Amino acid sequence: MRYVKKRWGQILPCGAVFAAFHLYFFFFIQNRKVDFLLYLDVLLLVPGLGWLVWDYVRFQKARKTMEELLGQQEIICRVVEDFENQDVAEHDVRVLERQMGRQFQENCDLQDYVAKWVHELKIPLSAALLMDERIGDPDLRKDMRGQLEKISQQLGSMLLGCRLQSPLLDLQIRKVFLGECVKSSIHNNRFFLIQGGFRVQADTGELAVYTDPQWLVYILDQLIGNAVKYGKKAPREEEAPPALKIWAEEQDHTVTLWVEDRGQGIQKQDMERIFEKGYTGSNYHNGKYKSTGMGLYMVSQIVQKLGHEIRVESKYGEYTRFLLIF
């Protein structure tokens, strides 16, 4: 459409001159010979039509090139030749690059500040955990320990979340035995698992994967934390199924780690949205659960950066099962 408007702006004046010449020829020239006029028309129209065809082919080729460039992650004004107002586009790009550079530096400074603040806060927190052991009242000691453990978990999540948002995310990919990461995560959540009376069954064998162990432990912390929050402890009978079950399988060069809880489950309408940022679910708005909707979102982002895959299966009221695929 833009091509047609541009060319009509050139063709119309030429057409007006062409028509005016013919009117002048027919009405004001005596002893005129129409053959001469037709010959002159051929001399003018054939090259003109040829130029239009050549120009249209060149336009289609340029448009195809532009569509290819639009599908790439490049600054087009620095690639396309004869770009209109290229100096203006270059100026705007340089201004935006400076603004993004300043914003990037501000974000880095903020992340450094948050990281230092978390590390500084962990010192008095560790002291508070030690002092908690000296409280004589067992109920008060247990309640205080629970709150301190929650603070410790939230600080750890804040620190790792800050690292995740950094454009300089440092991933240490190496061969890791799944059993070691599972044990670390269970140890991190041992207080809440014990207080909730959860029976845990973990069996990953000797399977190993290539991943970042610190981030994998964080992922497992989030999944186990959700199991504690929304799950239910199993009966004490030995034959009863465990409230939390973790196992791994290998098939066709693919390792799958399963984390299953026998808890509340996820409603069908929530299954497609549980990894969305800030989504808390349709059945968690009654005030019973204090959810921010960030845990599984962070998990999905980390899994994507690690190059793994996460899926979820659930039957509402019976179980929730997360699959980590390596």
Side-chain angles (χ1 to χ4, degrees), residues 125-151:
L125 178 61
S126 299
L129 287 170
L130 292 175
M131 290 186 289
D132 178 69
E133 299 296 332
R134 300 167 58 184
I135 297 178
D137 188 338
D139 294 332
L140 178 60
R141 183 170 63 249
K142 184 180 70 173
D143 293 341
M144 181 66 71
R145 179 63 180 271
Q147 298 304 316
L148 293 175
E149 290 287 348
K150 288 180 181 178
I151 294 174

Side-chain angles (χ1 to χ4, degrees), residues 53-231:
V53 171
W54 171 82
D55 185 67
Y56 182 75
V57 172
R58 186 172 64 91
F59 167 76
Q60 290 293 343
K61 183 178 179 180
R63 187 178 68 173
K64 183 178 180 180
T65 302
M66 182 64 70
E67 290 177 352
E68 293 176 355
L69 291 173
L70 288 174
Q72 301 177 4
Q73 300 297 324
E74 296 183 15
I75 299 177
I76 298 178
C77 69
R78 293 177 176 174
V79 179
V80 179
E81 298 180 356
D82 301 327
F83 184 74
E84 294 185 10
N85 299 323
Q86 186 168 5
D87 52 345
V88 176
E90 285 279 1
H91 169 270
D92 291 345
V93 168
R94 288 193 296 269
V95 171
L96 290 174
E97 286 177 341
R98 288 195 296 269
Q99 293 176 353
M100 291 177 63
R102 288 195 297 268
Q103 186 65 46
F104 172 77
Q105 187 60 46
E106 292 175 0
N107 289 340
C108 290
D109 293 341
L110 178 60
Q111 289 164 2
D112 290 340
Y113 171 77
V114 171
K116 292 177 182 177
W117 179 82
V118 170
H119 283 298
E120 290 294 331
L121 194 59
K122 281 189 174 182
I123 297 175
L125 178 61
S126 299
L129 287 170
L130 292 175
M131 290 186 289
D132 178 69
E133 299 296 332
R134 300 167 58 184
I135 297 178
D137 188 338
D139 294 332
L140 178 60
R141 183 170 63 249
K142 184 180 70 173
D143 293 341
M144 181 66 71
R145 179 63 180 271
Q147 298 304 316
L148 293 175
E149 290 287 348
K150 288 180 181 178
I151 294 174
S152 179
Q153 282 191 344
Q154 292 300 320
L155 288 176
S157 297
M158 177 186 290
L159 184 60
L160 291 176
C162 184
R163 287 182 52 199
L164 177 65
Q165 299 303 320
S166 173
L168 303 176
L169 179 63
D170 184 21
L171 296 177
Q172 302 293 332
I173 305 296
R174 60 182 177 85
K175 185 177 181 179
V176 177
F177 287 97
L178 289 176
E180 296 177 358
C181 295
V182 171
K183 289 179 181 178
S184 296
S185 182
I186 293 175
H187 182 268
N188 293 341
N189 293 271
R190 65 190 184 283
F191 176 82
F192 300 104
L193 290 170
I194 294 173
Q195 294 301 317
F198 277 75
R199 292 183 58 242
V200 181
Q201 178 181 330
D203 182 15
T204 58
E206 297 297 325
L207 291 178
V209 296
Y210 284 91
T211 187
D212 186 310
Q214 186 177 15
W215 285 113
L216 179 56
V217 170
Y218 175 81
I219 293 172
L220 292 173
D221 284 348
Q222 294 296 318
L223 299 182
I224 293 176
N226 280 349
V228 173
K229 184 187 298 183
Y230 305 124

